[in-house]
Amino acid sequence: MFKELALKRESCRGYDGRPVPHELLQEILETACLSPSACNSQPWRLLAVEGETAEKLRPMVQAAGLNRFADKVSTFVVICETKASLKEGVSGDRQRFAQMDVGMVTMMLTLAAADQGVSTCILGCFRENKIKELLNIPEDVVVRLVVAMGYAEKEGVRKKVRKPYSETIGYQSW
Ligand SMILES: Cc1cc2nc3c(=O)[nH]c(=O)nc-3n(C[C@H](O)[C@H](O)[C@H](O)COP(=O)(O)O)c2cc1C
């Protein structure tokens, strides 16, 4: 059942240090890329970071003492937003759907990982300039998110904390 997977996916903040095996990582990344996007433009590049480069990246997601748990993360995926190519005739800002597309591919990545028993945490706080320098990311590309990936040191999932559904779901009128 999909809901079981949605409940299983959680932001993991305690890892055992093991990296995600490369082939499994590729499988998870390919699954994430099945995500929908406006005009199927796929305005993303998912940059997987492993080994020594992951060690170098680690402090870049730990600015101001944040994300200390990343000390034991050995695999990261840097989610980059690239130029969207919308269909002829679609007027307005070409990038206006790109952040949504990037959000969806990130969601797919975390769910695909959870499905394979791999834990994740989406990280929104990071030193973008340093990451771009480390990974040779072109100037016109925006790093939107970093996803920490690995294996949880403890078994089991937390109870989900969410607003009451009456606040977030409506029928017929506001
Ligand atoms: C855009 C975004 C940025 C986030 N940034 C961080 C972060 O920097 N550090 C962190 O520990 N969690 C981060 N999170 C995780 C959220 O805190 C988490 O998704 C939320 O509390 C719900 O918990 P759950 O993911 O376990 O269901 C981020 C999540 C999103 C979607």
Side-chain angles (χ1 to χ4, degrees), residues 14-67:
Y15 292 85
D16 69 4
R18 280 183 296 152
V20 179
H22 186 80
E23 292 70 28
L24 181 58
L25 180 59
Q26 176 67 19
E27 173 65 19
I28 292 168
L29 290 164
E30 288 182 13
T31 306
C33 286
L34 300 177
S35 186
S37 58
C39 297
N40 203 16
S41 151
Q42 303 157 68
W44 59 68
R45 186 160 169 83
L46 310 179
L47 279 180
V49 182
E50 307 168 279
E52 278 178 22
T53 314
E55 281 170 36
K56 288 184 188 157
L57 186 131
R58 208 173 279 145
M60 300 174 188
V61 299
Q62 294 180 317
L66 290 168
N67 300 325

Side-chain angles (χ1 to χ4, degrees), residues 127-162:
R127 294 208 160 104
E128 187 186 11
N129 288 344
K130 295 235 176 244
I131 292 178
K132 286 179 81 164
E133 201 181 312
L134 176 71
L135 305 177
N136 294 316
I137 298 172
E139 224 167 79
D140 62 339
V141 169
V142 185
V143 177
R144 289 289 179 203
L145 294 165
V146 176
V147 178
M149 288 181 120
Y151 294 93
E153 61 186 353
K154 288 192 194 135
E155 276 185 28
V157 288
R158 297 186 300 271
K159 196 176 177 307
K160 286 274 177 223
V161 179
R162 293 295 185 265

Side-chain angles (χ1 to χ4, degrees), residues 162-171 174:
R162 293 295 185 265
K163 291 179 180 175
Y165 292 128
S166 58
E167 277 184 34
T168 53
I169 301 172
Y171 289 91
W174 183 261

Side-chain angles (χ1 to χ4, degrees), residues 77-133:
V77 179
V78 174
I79 314 278
C80 301
E81 179 186 313
T82 58
K83 283 247 161 358
S85 50
L86 302 184
K87 285 197 182 97
E88 291 287 314
V90 179
S91 57
D93 173 14
R94 315 297 293 169
Q95 289 301 112
R96 69 187 183 283
F97 301 119
Q99 276 204 51
M100 295 176 227
D101 295 339
V102 164
M104 287 191 281
V105 78
T106 305
M107 183 80 257
M108 283 279 271
L109 181 74
T110 60
L111 287 170
D115 189 46
Q116 297 282 356
V118 172
S119 295
T120 57
C121 189
I122 299 170
L123 308 176
C125 298
F126 49 82
R127 294 208 160 104
E128 187 186 11
N129 288 344
K130 295 235 176 244
I131 292 178
K132 286 179 81 164
E133 201 181 312

